[in-house]
Amino acid sequence: MYALTLLLALAAQRPDSLAAQVREYVAVDTSLLALTHVLLVDGTGGAPKSDQTIVLRAGRIAAVGPAASVQIPAGARVMDMSGSTVIPGIIGMHDHLFYTAAGGRAVQMSYTGPRLYLGSGVTTIRTTGSRSPYAEINLKDAIDHGLAPRAELGAAIQEAHRRGIKVTGHLCSVSFQEAVSLGIDNLEHGMLTASDFTTGKPADVCPVNLMTQISAADPKGNAGQATIQSMVQHHVSMTSTLAVYEPFVANRPTKDERVLQAMDPEVRDNYMKMRQQIDSSGTGWVSQEAFKKAMAFEREFVAAGGLMAAGVDPTGIGGALAGFGDQRNYELFIEAGFAPAQAIQIMTANGAKILGVAQSLGTVEPGKLADLVVLRGDLTADPSVIRSPTIVFKDGVGYDSAKLIASVQGRVGVN
């Protein structure tokens, strides 16, 4: 199965064009602004820089540098951000505007989705599939009847490339290496959907023992290294979605109070029952071993020169919410062994590169769009600071994160 993707930029209007119901979330609407004395993790992968000043003018970044040397323009509003970290707006590369949860709940997030993404610091998303009923029913029927194996994927890739469109895939029946040979541009979810590690796999069939095989696999072994080298050599990027798999793993920290409060009460009850069942049994659909192997595979991929981005995929049993799950990916990258600057680069600049918009998004550099996240605290010292946005700038307009998040309380799983 494959998905053609759509780039969605959130809240791209200027302040004077915003509707009243949007303006209530705006905290900063000046066209000339200086954020001073920030700790900057700029998305380039370079070392974090302390005591920096960022000047925003008319929706773009006008200047960045040490607070002692950056000239603040006359008439600029100055905001002292001492004690805060600034990162580029997060680019969610496997995000949806629908949500699924334990108990069978499945809804569009027309209301909660944009607010959760923006309030969490996600300023741009790539939608990797929708719940358009007829399209999804027809696709499922085609797969069930064997009409979407490698030949169909290859044909779709060729036609997409003919039209100048990139293709990404959530695969299993087709292995990563097979997809690379067909010319795919990106692969979703990482090792946990890669059937390259199974033995005796029938052609175009997803192995029933996929997770068992992955639990026993070695990312540094022959199959792992062959898969990684195939992707790197053919410039095939990969999207990490660790946050959506974590709730399936027993005894993981998957009961974030913010997440539970945002859920509809019935959704929350069903999720907690599912989590209790997974934790009490000690075994989930994804084993601890498989989850750690997926982390190791991602480290190996990046170390080999692979281009990796990240997204939340707010599906599964509902524990990875829009925005919150994107934030959780940062903490999981740190747990996996990535440095803070690497993790932010994966979540920002790398997504922009894959989407072909790196000239305007993904890093904090002069001339780029002013998509920024102000976090309370030192992100390099404490990974949980990623959960503490105060202001999220989109095209230079600063949105109040707390107000956006408060507006969805108890509504995730409803609208």
Side-chain angles (χ1 to χ4, degrees):
M1 186 166 65
Y2 59 90
L4 299 182
T5 60
L6 171 68
L7 173 64
L8 174 65
L10 301 176
Q13 296 84 3
R14 295 298 307 150
D16 56 4
S17 68
L18 298 175
Q21 62 266 33
V22 177
R23 284 197 60 83
E24 68 177 290
Y25 299 110
V26 174
V28 182
D29 62 1
T30 181
S31 63
L32 184 57
L33 176 71
L35 306 176
T36 63
H37 306 297
V38 304
L39 171 63
L40 177 62
V41 185
D42 64 12
T44 66
K49 301 173 183 176
S50 61
D51 199 24
Q52 300 287 293
T53 288
I54 306 168
V55 178
L56 312 183
R57 185 193 293 272
R60 290 190 177 269
I61 300 167
V64 183
S69 61
V70 169
Q71 198 75 5
I72 297 176
R77 177 181 176 182
V78 178
M79 298 181 69
D80 187 338
M81 292 293 179
S82 299
S84 293
T85 303
V86 170
I87 63 173
I90 295 170
I91 298 178
M93 291 292 286
H94 191 115
D95 292 2
H96 296 291
L97 288 172
F98 66 87
Y99 171 75
T100 69
R105 187 72 65 96
V107 298
Q108 284 295 122
M109 293 191 293
S110 302
Y111 180 88
T112 56
R115 288 164 173 78
L116 276 171
Y117 282 127
L118 190 60
S120 300
V122 182
T123 54
T124 303
I125 70 170
R126 179 182 68 170
T127 61
T128 42
S130 70
R131 292 190 67 86
S132 176
Y134 291 111
E136 293 189 0
I137 290 170
N138 290 339
L139 179 58
K140 182 180 185 300
D141 183 71
I143 293 170
D144 289 345
H145 286 84
L147 301 178
R150 271 178 291 176
E152 280 67 32
L153 176 58
I157 291 170
Q158 291 179 27
E159 181 61 18
H161 287 178
R162 190 178 69 81
R163 295 172 178 266
I165 299 172
K166 293 182 179 181
V167 178
T168 190
H170 172 155
L171 306 177
C172 178
S173 57
V174 180
S175 74
F176 277 22
Q177 292 182 67
E178 289 170 341
V180 169
S181 69
L182 292 171
I184 203 164
D185 301 287
N186 191 91
L187 289 162
E188 302 296 314
H189 300 301
M191 185 178 179
L192 293 172
T193 60
S195 53
D196 304 73
F197 299 91
T198 61
T199 55
K201 171 187 165 308
D204 301 322
V205 174
C206 184
V208 293
N209 61 343
L210 179 68
M211 283 300 162
T212 302
Q213 297 269 6
I214 288 174
S215 296
D218 179 6
K220 293 187 177 181
N222 292 337
Q225 292 303 303
T227 302
I228 288 170
Q229 288 305 315
S230 174
M231 294 170 67
V232 171
Q233 289 170 9
H234 291 85
H235 307 290
V236 176
S237 52
M238 183 171 75
T239 309
S240 170
T241 61
L242 292 173
V244 75
Y245 286 103
E246 187 181 28
F248 291 99
V249 184
N251 301 309
R252 292 285 305 180
T254 55
K255 302 180 182 71
D256 181 353
E257 190 61 30
R258 303 174 310 150
V259 169
L260 300 179
Q261 290 301 315
M263 289 176 174
D264 167 73
E266 183 181 357
V267 171
R268 180 168 60 247
D269 289 345
N270 286 331
Y271 174 71
M272 292 299 286
K273 288 175 184 176
M274 180 68 75
R275 281 302 312 167
Q276 183 178 8
Q277 178 182 335
I278 291 172
D279 289 340
S280 61
S281 68
T283 57
W285 176 63
V286 180
S287 68
Q288 282 278 10
E289 294 78 11
F291 196 64
K292 293 294 185 181
K293 295 291 176 63
M295 287 181 167
F297 183 81
E298 293 181 359
R299 286 199 312 271
E300 290 291 311
F301 178 69
V302 172
L307 181 61
M308 187 171 77
V312 52
D313 191 6
T315 56
I317 61 172
L321 265 56
F324 290 164
D326 294 276
Q327 294 173 343
R328 179 59 181 157
N329 279 331
Y330 175 82
E331 296 174 298
L332 293 171
F333 286 142
I334 299 301
E335 180 183 338
F338 291 101
Q342 281 183 298
I344 291 299
Q345 183 180 32
I346 289 166
M347 296 169 62
T348 59
N350 288 2
K353 288 178 183 176
I354 293 169
L355 293 174
V357 294
Q359 73 281 0
S360 57
L361 293 172
T363 59
V364 183
E365 297 179 274
K368 293 198 172 182
L369 292 172
D371 286 11
L372 307 170
V373 186
V374 180
L375 302 164
R376 183 185 297 109
D378 182 347
L379 182 65
T380 64
D382 179 4
S384 70
V385 167
I386 195 71
R387 304 184 186 194
S388 305
T390 54
I391 304 174
V392 180
F393 289 90
K394 178 64 188 172
D395 291 348
V397 179
Y399 292 86
D400 187 317
S401 176
K403 281 187 177 180
L404 286 164
I405 299 303
S407 72
V408 306
Q409 298 302 288
R411 299 181 70 155
V412 173
V414 177
N415 60 350

